[in-house]
Amino acid sequence: MSEKYLGVRFKTIFKEDKRIEEERIEKLKFWGKKFADLNLAPKIEGGFAGNLSFRTHHGFIITTSGANLSELNDDDFVEVMNVDVSLKQIFVCGLKEPSSESFLHHAIYIKRQDINVVFHGHDKLTLKFNDMLNFPITKKEQPYGSKELVDEVVKILNMNCNYFLIKKHGFISLGKMIDEAGNNAIEQHKKAVELRDKNLQNAHYLQR
Ligand SMILES: [Zn+2]
C-alpha cells in the first residue's frame, strides 16, 4: 500500500507541446477533487495516488504525473497518442509528463473496447474489507508502473467487470461515461464504509 512516487518508468516523446483542450476535462477536474476529498486518491510523496483518463479519437487524455488531484488545472492533462510497450515509449501532446500508470490505462482501452473511462485510485477501505465485498482482485502483488502490474490487470479484464482491485495497491473503476466511472468508485467505497461502521459498532457492543 505504501506507494511512493518513484518517477515515470517510460520515455515520453512530446509530439506537440500544447495545452490540451477538451470539454470533458472539466469533469475530470470535478472527479479529481471528489477522489481527493473522499481519500480515494490520497496525497502521497510527490503527488496523489490516483489517475484519471478518458478515451479520445487519437488515444486518451490522462492526468499528468504528480498532478494535484484536489486542484487540477488546465495544464494537468496530456493526450496519449501512441504507446510502444516494448520500447517503453509513450507519445503525447501536452505540456507535462503523463501519469506513471499510463501503460495500465492504455492496456485497458485496448482490451475493453466498450469502455471510455478509466479511473484509478487507492481506496484503503475496499481493499481492507474485500473478504466480505468480494470484488475481483489481481492475484500477485506487482510494483506500480511496471509491465508485470499491467499483465496482472489484463488477466482480470477478461471478467468484464467495471470495478476491481489491484492487490495491496488500489482500485480501477471503469465506465462508458465519466460520471459512471466516478459514481461506481463512490458506490463501492460506501459499501466498505458501511462494513467499517458495522465493525466499529460490534467492537463497541462487545466492549460493554
Ligand atoms: Zn496506483
Side-chain angles (χ1 to χ4, degrees), residues 3 49-51 101 120-122 144 169:
E3 178 166 329
N51 28 77
E101 301 283 17
H120 165 53
H122 293 201
Y144 92 100
H169 181 138

Side-chain angles (χ1 to χ4, degrees), residues 130 133-138 156 159 161 163-166:
N130 199 39
L133 293 166
N134 283 319
F135 294 119
I137 183 165
T138 56
I156 276 205
M159 298 173 74
C161 52
Y163 184 92
F164 57 87
L165 301 177
I166 304 175

Side-chain angles (χ1 to χ4, degrees), residues 142-161:
Q142 300 288 3
Y144 92 100
S146 68
K147 187 182 175 301
E148 290 73 20
L149 180 85
V150 174
D151 292 343
E152 281 294 312
V153 168
V154 166
K155 285 181 206 162
I156 276 205
L157 293 173
N158 290 327
M159 298 173 74
N160 265 335
C161 52

Side-chain angles (χ1 to χ4, degrees), residues 10 28 50-55 59-63 80 83 90 98-112 115-121 149-150 153-154 157 166 171-174:
F10 46 76
L28 283 203
N51 28 77
L52 315 176
S53 75
F54 60 84
R55 196 193 288 273
F60 57 93
I61 288 176
I62 189 164
T63 45
V80 174
V83 171
I90 202 156
S99 157
S100 52
E101 301 283 17
S102 291
F103 269 73
L104 185 61
H105 289 247
H106 171 73
I108 294 170
Y109 287 121
I110 291 205
K111 188 94 185 174
R112 289 287 302 272
I115 286 304
N116 298 317
V117 184
V118 177
F119 282 3
H120 165 53
L149 180 85
V150 174
V153 168
V154 166
L157 293 173
I166 304 175
F171 68 87
I172 302 270
S173 183
L174 307 174

Side-chain angles (χ1 to χ4, degrees), residues 144-208:
Y144 92 100
S146 68
K147 187 182 175 301
E148 290 73 20
L149 180 85
V150 174
D151 292 343
E152 281 294 312
V153 168
V154 166
K155 285 181 206 162
I156 276 205
L157 293 173
N158 290 327
M159 298 173 74
N160 265 335
C161 52
N162 286 354
Y163 184 92
F164 57 87
L165 301 177
I166 304 175
K167 190 170 187 174
K168 296 194 175 169
H169 181 138
F171 68 87
I172 302 270
S173 183
L174 307 174
K176 277 193 204 304
M177 310 292 282
I178 291 182
D179 289 345
E180 190 186 333
N183 286 322
N184 190 13
I186 288 184
E187 219 172 281
Q188 312 315 332
H189 175 69
K190 279 186 184 157
K191 289 181 192 164
V193 168
E194 270 171 35
L195 283 171
R196 181 200 60 194
D197 292 349
K198 218 185 256 175
N199 266 22
L200 287 174
Q201 272 170 13
N202 285 346
H204 183 71
Y205 178 74
L206 287 172
Q207 270 170 14
R208 287 200 301 177

